[in-house]
Amino acid sequence: MTALQAFWGYYVRWSAKWPGAAALLSFLPLILLWAFIVWLEIFPRVFLPGPLEVLGKAWELLYKGILLDYLGDSVVRLSVGAAAGMALAIPLGILIGLNKRAYEVSWPVLLFFQAIGDIAWLPILLIWFGFGLTTMTFVIVYTVLFPVVLNTVLGIRSVKPELVRAAQSLGASRPRILFEVILPGALPNIITGLRNGLGYGWRALIAAEIIVGTSGIGFLMFDARRAGSVEEIVVGMIVLGLLWYIVDSWILAPVERATGQRWGLVTS
Amino acid sequence: MKSVVLEQLSKTYFDPYRGSQVTAVRDLSLTIDEGDFVAVVGPSGCGKTTVLNMIAGFVPKTSGRILLSGTEVKGPGPDRGVVFQSFALFPWKTVRQNVAFGPKMRGVGKAERNRIADEYLAMAGLSHAADRYPSELSGGMQQRVGVVRALANNPDVLLMDEPFASVDAQTRMTLQEELTRIWEERRPTVVFITHDVAEAVFLANKVVVLAQGRLLAEVEVPLERPRSWDRLVQDETFKELSNRVLQLVRSA
Ligand SMILES: Nc1ncnc2c1ncn2[C@@H]1O[C@H](COP(=O)(O)OP(=O)(O)OP(=O)(O)O)[C@@H](O)[C@H]1O
Ligand SMILES: [Mg+2]
């Protein structure tokens, strides 16, 4: 009993210290199941490689430098597109959120264009811009733009009018109200928008790379298909999930915790 | 300090969904002297909040005039501090930052405004909570922060909308006594809205009874100060005045 408790205490402290490692542990059953299915040999090995083969492939790609190069390409594309998307979306969202008339006019349009999801644009973009960076950037900017605009607008409109009144009667000017009250009040929503936008953007990027890419993780996976290397495809898939986990839990979630949850605006 | 004069003040809300109009305040004339303490009572929906919001400049009036020491009210301003029923504290600011907000907007430097905030927080017995966020405070504590935030900005007129409605009876009594003490010290002009007749009589120099947007009666409260609950619960004049106001409210 005490040994078990000691072990449990040790585990709790350890997982608090290394949350990333603790999260990896939750994948252990999944990996074991995967290995088990492979071991049963229901599917031929070329169709369904085991964890070790995939790991070996990952190491090989890493060693050759391809994996990091492609990963870098994808991440840079996403960052540039997302940064441009946010730079457009946040001011736009603020303007629409602050102005009732602008909100009434633009909301249906925003919803309309949001519904035409990222890759639905690819056919026409390919005709306009061809197979290249412009097309990819457009898709990412587009995908990031709408969730961020919509959530920013929502956030700004959900700031309690009373808080604005309180600030007014404490002598705050309009610009001060914007920066001291409206933006902080909208921040949890804006962060949610960024989180969704980046998530959608990441998926859209992979889709775009598969279709128009000459490098990147999406391209790696599609290229592997041509060579018939299922291992490489699986490596690509795992990298996608892993990278998103890192971005979400190491960057986005802490920001969320430090703002909305700390202020009691969203329940943790 | 400033006087507040309402002349034939009216407010009609238009409901675009029903296409109907609601007159919340009609032809209300009232004079509140500089440094006076007036409580406004009346049944729910009689227009108390609407009057307060018009004085604060949050809601445009339909007709009539609102004069602050002779100058017409155009919009909200720091000369009128407002204490909201729902506290309206900034959730992303600590208690100290909330209280220092008014001075900050006036351009007071950081060290000085923090000193002001700490002084007021000490007065309200909230020094230990200065670095906490509002969501980490009890309702009564939040309410005190709301009052202190308005006070720290040194307003000429203090507008309070049922500020003690959401705290427990004991805390409420303490807050009421603290408020009368602060008022005696500073003498801001106070307009205090409440449902609670005893609270109105305890706090005010004059109780105004509203009914369906109209002025029903003004009752002077000649009780001596400082006032304390210990003494007033048995006071005959207090009981008699409370009864009179209660009858008026019930007849409304
Ligand atoms: N924004 C609004 N739009 C339309 N009607 C309103 C609005 N605000 C208040 N009213 C109406 O005006 C009347 C007076 O409302 P008000 O809030 O001033 O009452 P009150 O005396 O403060 O009531 P309570 O004691 O319940 O707070 C009510 O009939 C209410 O329905
Ligand atoms: Mg009210």
Side-chain angles (χ1 to χ4, degrees):
Chain A
M1 193 61 199
T2 41
L4 203 64
Q5 278 173 341
F7 177 75
W8 177 244
Y10 179 76
Y11 172 76
V12 168
R13 277 192 300 278
W14 173 80
S15 61
K17 205 167 160 197
W18 307 100
L24 280 184
L25 264 190
S26 42
F27 285 98
L28 206 57
L30 217 62
I31 295 169
L32 288 177
L33 184 71
W34 173 19
F36 181 66
I37 292 172
V38 171
W39 178 77
L40 288 177
E41 299 204 339
I42 308 171
F43 307 101
R45 273 276 162 123
V46 263
F47 283 177
L48 185 67
L52 284 178
E53 286 144 283
V54 171
L55 201 65
K57 192 70 185 179
W59 176 249
E60 183 196 320
L61 289 172
L62 210 57
Y63 187 73
K64 281 198 213 152
I66 298 174
L67 192 59
L68 282 184
D69 272 3
Y70 280 7
L71 190 62
D73 283 351
S74 293
V75 169
V76 166
R77 276 175 204 147
L78 181 71
S79 314
V80 171
M86 283 183 235
L88 278 172
I90 294 177
L92 193 65
I94 292 171
L95 285 178
I96 296 173
L98 288 177
N99 187 321
K100 193 155 180 266
R101 189 65 55 76
Y103 168 77
E104 280 162 2
V105 171
S106 60
W107 191 256
V109 180
L110 287 174
L111 285 182
F112 175 84
F113 279 106
Q114 194 208 13
I116 311 175
D118 39 61
I119 24 184
W121 274 91
L122 275 177
I124 200 166
L125 288 177
L126 286 176
I127 294 176
W128 288 348
F129 304 125
F131 290 78
L133 194 62
T134 320
T135 302
M136 263 191 287
T137 311
F138 185 100
V139 169
I140 299 167
V141 172
Y142 185 92
T143 330
V144 172
L145 188 78
F146 286 95
V148 178
V149 172
L150 292 170
N151 278 287
T152 304
V153 171
L154 221 61
I156 283 183
R157 292 181 60 86
S158 61
V159 172
K160 288 202 194 112
E162 246 169 25
L163 294 182
V164 174
R165 289 177 169 183
Q168 284 176 327
S169 61
L170 288 166
S173 60
R174 287 189 61 138
R176 304 274 338 227
I177 291 175
L178 178 64
F179 286 105
E180 302 267 357
V181 180
I182 295 178
L183 287 184
L187 196 59
N189 277 285
I190 296 177
I191 291 168
T192 306
L194 289 180
R195 211 168 170 173
N196 290 343
L198 281 177
Y200 298 151
W202 183 231
R203 281 177 246 172
L205 171 70
I206 301 308
E209 280 177 350
I210 285 179
I211 297 170
V212 300
T214 48
S215 68
I217 297 293
F219 174 76
L220 175 108
M221 291 165 67
F222 207 62
D223 205 40
R225 183 206 63 126
R226 220 170 293 149
S229 167
V230 179
E231 291 136 14
E232 216 169 306
I233 297 178
V234 177
V235 169
M237 290 165 75
I238 290 173
V239 167
L240 291 184
L242 213 60
L243 195 75
W244 180 249
Y245 175 81
I246 290 171
V247 170
D248 192 78
S249 66
W250 293 2
I251 302 173
L252 299 176
V255 174
E256 209 161 44
R257 239 172 284 133
T259 56
Q261 282 179 20
R262 182 84 210 270
W263 305 331
L265 291 178
V266 284
T267 46
S268 41
Chain B
M1 301 309 117
K2 287 182 178 172
S3 63
V4 180
V5 175
L6 313 182
E7 286 177 2
Q8 306 264 292
L9 187 63
S10 295
K11 174 70 192 180
T12 304
Y13 288 108
F14 177 65
D15 185 340
Y17 296 101
R18 286 202 242 126
S20 62
Q21 295 192 328
V22 180
T23 301
V25 178
R26 325 167 190 247
D27 284 338
L28 181 67
S29 294
L30 186 67
T31 299
I32 302 165
D33 296 329
E34 263 184 58
D36 206 357
F37 197 132
V38 168
V40 181
V41 295
S44 189
C46 70
K48 303 183 294 292
T49 299
T50 306
V51 172
L52 192 101
N53 282 343
M54 283 193 286
I55 301 174
F58 298 149
V59 168
K61 59 189 188 300
T62 308
S63 64
R65 301 212 298 167
I66 304 169
L67 301 171
L68 281 179
S69 286
T71 324
E72 196 147 352
V73 166
K74 285 283 185 299
D79 52 346
R80 285 147 292 151
V82 180
V83 181
F84 297 83
Q85 178 172 1
S86 54
F87 322 137
L89 302 178
F90 305 119
W92 43 86
K93 291 182 184 291
T94 62
V95 166
R96 182 183 288 114
Q97 288 168 337
N98 263 282
V99 178
F101 187 81
K104 184 179 179 186
M105 294 303 112
R106 273 190 279 128
V108 177
K110 189 161 187 182
E112 175 63 7
R113 64 178 188 252
N114 281 343
R115 196 193 56 73
I116 296 174
D118 285 343
E119 191 184 303
Y120 277 92
L121 288 170
M123 189 179 80
L126 285 167
S127 298
H128 62 288
D131 291 312
R132 291 205 241 158
Y133 285 92
S135 63
E136 299 163 339
L137 265 51
S138 74
M141 289 162 88
Q142 292 185 42
Q143 190 56 269
R144 271 185 279 167
V145 177
V147 175
V148 153
R149 182 179 65 177
L151 285 173
N153 209 27
N154 243 324
D156 296 312
V157 181
L158 203 51
L159 304 170
M160 309 174 88
D161 191 356
E162 302 191 33
F164 304 148
S166 47
V167 297
D168 66 273
Q170 260 107 349
T171 312
R172 191 181 313 154
M173 286 173 143
T174 319
L175 289 175
Q176 288 161 348
E177 289 175 346
E178 275 173 26
L179 181 62
T180 53
R181 192 171 49 71
I182 292 164
W183 177 78
E184 280 154 34
E185 235 171 72
R186 299 273 205 82
R187 297 301 296 264
T189 312
V190 179
V191 182
F192 189 102
I193 289 180
T194 176
H195 269 122
D196 183 343
V197 168
E199 177 172 74
V201 175
F202 177 83
L203 291 171
N205 291 342
K206 181 163 76 182
V207 178
V208 172
V209 185
L210 290 189
Q212 294 170 339
R214 287 178 219 269
L215 182 73
L216 186 72
E218 293 184 47
V219 179
E220 297 290 335
V221 183
L223 297 169
E224 67 188 42
R225 292 179 187 270
R227 295 176 186 172
S228 76
W229 278 111
D230 288 342
R231 208 154 37 70
L232 284 182
V233 251
Q234 293 130 340
D235 190 288
E236 285 308 319
T237 329
F238 176 78
K239 282 191 209 160
E240 194 238 319
L241 283 168
S242 300
N243 264 324
R244 196 154 104 222
V245 175
L246 189 62
Q247 293 310 321
L248 283 165
V249 172
R250 296 194 63 177
S251 75

